[in-house]
Every structure is written in C-alpha cells, then in structure tokens.
Amino acid sequence: MAGATRPGDRPISPFVSIWRWHVTMASSILHRVTGVGLYGGMLLLCGWLMVIAAGPEAYEPFGAFLAGPIGQVGLYLLVACFAYHLANGIRHLVFDTGHGMKPSDAETTAWFAILFAIAAPIGLWALVTFGG
Amino acid sequence: MSKDKSTPLGRVRNHGAAAEGTGHFVGQRVSAIALLFVATWFVLSAALSMDGPTYLAAIDFISQPFNAVGLILLIMVALYHMRLGMGEVVNDYVHKPFAKMALLLLNTLVPLVIAAGAIFAVLLVNFGV
C-alpha cells in the first residue's frame, strides 16, 4: 500500500507500561497517598489528645518531638497533605455531579490542586511565623 | 424481575456484587463534605491560636467548649472517612486473603479504639480533676 507506515511507526494500543504520564493520573495517585498520610496524621492527633489528658509529664516527650525538626517537618507535610486532599476532594465532589470531566478541565483543576498543596502550607507557615 | 442480578449459584456461594457499594459511596461523600468544614476549621484554628506545641497551649485550646465540640466531631467524622478510604486501598492492593482480612479488621478496630480514647481525652481535659 502506498504511503503505509512501517510496523514500528504505527500507533499501538495504549498499553499501561508505555502510557504517557498525565497530571490527572498523578492527581489520583496523590489523593490516595495524601489520604494515607492523613490517616497517620489523625492517629497522631488522637495520640496528642491522649497524652495531654495523661498530664504534663506524659506530654513532655511528645511535645519535644513535635517541636523538634522531624515533628515540625512532619506537621508541615501534614498541612500539605491536607491542602491537597481538600482541593482534590472538592474536585472529586464536582466530578460526582458530572461537571469538569473534559480532559482539559480535569487537567487544569488537577494542576490547581497540586499548586494549592504547595502554596497553602507556605501561606499558613508564613501566617503563623510572621502574622500577629 | 428479580432485583438480585447474580446467578443462583453466585448467591449460594455468596460471591458477586455485595449490593452495598452505594452506602460506601454516599458515606464517603457525606463525611467528605462535613470534613471540608470541620477539618479546615481545625487546621487553621490549631495553627493560628496555639503558640507552639506546648502543654499549656494545648490545654488552653482543648478546654474551650467550641474547640472541644469541634475536636469530638473531627475525631468521629475523620476516623469514619479514613476507615472507608483505607478499606478501599486495602481492597485494591492487598490480594492475599489472610493479609487482606487482617488489615480490614485492623482498619475497623484501630479507629474505634483510637476514637474512644481520643474523645475520652477531650472530655477528661474539660471535666477531669
């Protein structure tokens, strides 16, 4: 056949292992990852409440951990996880109504959720550190 | 026409659609909508009103009635929501029957125990000696 492409150049079926990475894929995976992270965060919050109820001596090492570098970075990451899960959760609630499913819209909102997750913890950190 | 779409053999073996997916779907979304408000309130309120992770700041925060009620709501709704979500993750990625059952059981019992402990802790800070 004239003009036929060689077999190697033909489009092939979108097999999973060679599929291009989409931001919508990343947004879906991140939703799960941040959800699992927040699971840990809730266990931490509940542990925090219990050691506070147990008294100042019991709270001492827990408070020192939270105030230390690992605790502070952990809290920062939890805020980032929360911001992402919140933004992407709203996105999914909108999807449930049947809106925003056009590929270009879904990609735009996925980027928004990711950027919000980067901006929100920085904003909150700045507000806590420099705010009144 | 029968409402049950599974075959008689499938029903006997208790396999096929469990016909309880809608409850999971609705529960996940109702708790998500509640958490939009409760969890956002907690993150902002805790970060902005507590002066560092000190014992006194925590007691101050928890002993305000509005915060105590908010915390108890957060514990109940968030643990419910995360149990549904983690159950989905386990069902998707864990295929060995024993490990799957064990993780699903833990995923049900751990949030229950944690919720009881954490709610009691909030009450103890407010009403304890």
Side-chain angles (χ1 to χ4, degrees):
Chain A
M1 230 198 295
T5 51
R6 280 181 289 115
D9 297 334
R10 283 178 188 159
I12 49 176
S13 56
F15 200 67
V16 177
S17 61
I18 56 157
W19 197 230
R20 180 167 70 86
W21 190 264
H22 286 74
V23 69
T24 43
M25 276 168 68
S27 75
S28 174
I29 292 164
L30 274 173
H31 198 70
R32 287 217 155 161
V33 172
T34 53
V36 173
L38 290 169
Y39 196 108
M42 271 311 289
L43 296 184
L44 187 77
L45 168 64
C46 291
W48 177 75
L49 288 167
M50 287 188 256
V51 290
I52 284 163
E57 297 84 23
Y59 182 72
E60 169 61 33
F62 200 93
F65 171 75
L66 283 183
I70 300 174
Q72 290 290 296
V73 170
L75 287 174
Y76 185 89
L77 288 177
L78 280 175
V79 173
C81 283
F82 174 69
Y84 182 80
H85 209 80
L86 174 74
N88 202 53
I90 293 171
R91 190 169 159 260
H92 274 284
L93 287 173
V94 173
F95 284 165
D96 288 341
T97 68
H99 296 281
M101 303 283 275
K102 223 174 74 183
S104 58
D105 291 348
E107 284 188 13
T108 309
T109 52
W111 276 116
F112 175 79
I114 291 168
L115 292 178
F116 181 72
I118 295 168
I122 296 174
L124 189 60
W125 171 79
L127 210 57
V128 168
T129 312
F130 305 114
Chain B
M1 215 172 95
S2 162
K3 271 196 257 173
D4 194 342
K5 290 197 183 72
S6 60
T7 63
L9 183 62
R11 269 201 299 280
V12 166
R13 287 177 172 164
N14 207 17
H15 284 172
E20 56 186 29
T22 310
H24 184 283
F25 182 93
V26 172
Q28 187 78 299
R29 274 137 192 93
V30 170
S31 55
I33 291 167
L35 286 169
L36 288 182
F37 301 100
V38 183
T40 307
W41 160 78
F42 172 73
V43 170
L44 294 179
S45 171
L48 296 175
S49 71
M50 273 191 274
D51 193 18
T54 65
Y55 179 75
L56 287 179
I59 291 286
D60 241 25
F61 183 83
I62 301 166
S63 52
Q64 287 171 43
F66 186 88
N67 293 347
V69 172
L71 275 169
I72 292 172
L73 277 176
L74 176 68
I75 293 162
M76 294 194 299
V77 182
L79 292 183
Y80 172 70
H81 184 83
M82 76 190 207
R83 178 189 166 251
L84 290 179
M86 187 62 91
E88 221 173 296
V89 170
V90 170
N91 274 318
D92 279 0
Y93 302 128
V94 182
H95 304 301
K96 292 189 179 126
F98 181 79
K100 178 186 254 181
M101 279 305 141
L103 286 173
L104 288 176
L105 184 66
L106 272 180
N107 188 43
T108 296
L109 298 182
V110 169
L112 257 182
V113 172
I114 295 287
I119 290 170
F120 182 68
V122 173
L123 297 177
L124 199 62
V125 168
N126 279 276
F127 307 118
V129 275

